[in-house]
Amino acid sequence: ETGVTQSPTHLIKTRGQQVTLRCSSQSGHNTVSWYQQALGQGPQFIFQYYREEENGRGNFPPRFSGLQFPNYSSELNVNALELDDSALYLCASSPRSGVGFNSPLHFGNGTRLTVT
Amino acid sequence: DAKTTQPNSMESNEEEPVHLPCNHSTISGTDYIHWYRQLPSQGPEYVIHGLTSNVNNRMASLAIAEDRKSSTLILHRATLRDAAVYYCILRPGNQFYFGTGTSLTVIP
């Protein structure tokens, strides 16, 4: 079984630019969520997608947007990059099933974004 | 945000049990308690989760207080591979709220 894969692994962008990060979910998983992890901090929830629709969002501005595709892979787009956007961006997938949806998350190893 | 409080760091000797505490005094009745760990340069890895009853799996045990305002992750015999940052997380609905976690050092 293939796990969660993210690309690219590292990326350097300039302030004001736009970036797209990609995630392939684990086989059989139809829910994808994205997290931002600043250095020395825990991951912060950005948003979640289920069947191609956003169904949960954390405290992030609209310049953070996403997509989920019919094969359940996903993209995270960030517009007008700021220096504080420098972080590790993590993607996680899970099978959504049952009342309460408490299936464990399966994380990729992330994309390290540096904004200069 | 659903908040949890954990010690910043803990140490354990190899092959001894480790008890990692977590306080979540604002937990609601439907919040599950999840634990994940993160090794350097990797994404978080699921460890265990529970609602009210104590839980055991091949990796660890989770002891949940009767009032659910605290929980303890128990690693029965720490190994060097268990050195990681451990996150105690509440899950209300579709969201996971991570704190800053406990950095566990295992001493050979």
Side-chain angles (χ1 to χ4, degrees):
Chain A
E1 149 182 290
T2 306
V4 177
T5 58
Q6 294 186 242
S7 62
T9 55
H10 296 82
L11 198 55
I12 299 174
K13 288 287 190 177
T14 303
R15 188 171 50 185
Q17 287 187 317
Q18 178 265 343
V19 69
T20 297
L21 309 181
R22 294 178 174 83
C23 172
S24 293
S25 59
Q26 184 162 323
S27 176
H29 290 186
N30 57 18
T31 302
V32 173
S33 52
W34 286 90
Y35 295 79
Q36 180 195 66
Q37 186 173 25
L39 203 60
Q41 302 296 314
Q44 299 298 306
F45 175 74
I46 303 175
F47 44 57
Q48 177 174 282
Y49 279 81
Y50 170 63
R51 292 187 175 177
E52 303 178 54
E53 291 194 3
E54 183 180 299
N55 73 340
R57 189 177 183 95
N59 189 26
F60 280 81
R63 58 189 186 85
F64 285 79
S65 63
L67 285 173
Q68 187 181 30
F69 301 99
N71 67 354
Y72 305 128
S73 65
S74 177
E75 287 182 354
L76 166 65
N77 299 292
V78 187
N79 293 323
L81 283 167
E82 301 176 0
L83 296 180
D84 285 349
D85 295 334
S86 294
L88 180 68
Y89 288 85
L90 294 160
C91 169
S93 72
S94 63
R96 177 173 160 132
S97 61
V99 175
F101 309 112
N102 272 285
S103 302
L105 296 177
H106 296 252
F107 282 85
N109 287 329
T111 294
R112 173 71 62 188
L113 173 65
T114 302
V115 182
T116 62
Chain B
D1 292 0
K3 295 193 181 297
T4 61
T5 305
Q6 301 176 251
N8 288 332
S9 62
M10 292 184 64
E11 287 186 353
S12 174
N13 293 319
E14 195 176 9
E15 298 190 2
E16 290 188 353
V18 183
H19 291 231
L20 298 166
C22 179
N23 288 320
H24 29 77
S25 58
T26 60
I27 191 170
S28 71
T30 56
D31 289 348
Y32 276 74
I33 302 159
H34 288 245
W35 284 80
Y36 284 74
R37 69 182 185 182
Q38 187 172 23
L39 280 66
S41 302
Q42 294 187 22
E45 173 190 28
Y46 168 79
V47 178
I48 200 166
H49 76 281
L51 183 63
T52 56
S53 304
N54 295 343
V55 184
N56 300 293
N57 65 21
R58 64 175 181 82
M59 290 182 70
S61 296
L62 175 60
I64 302 173
E66 193 170 340
D67 63 5
R68 302 206 329 120
K69 294 186 176 181
S70 65
S71 61
T72 302
L73 178 70
I74 303 164
L75 307 178
H76 296 287
R77 290 180 69 230
T79 70
L80 297 179
R81 289 192 299 269
D82 292 323
V85 177
Y86 286 79
Y87 294 100
C88 167
I89 302 152
L90 298 185
R91 184 178 183 179
N94 291 332
Q95 303 190 15
F96 282 76
Y97 291 100
F98 288 74
T100 53
T102 296
S103 179
L104 176 65
T105 300
V106 180
I107 302 168

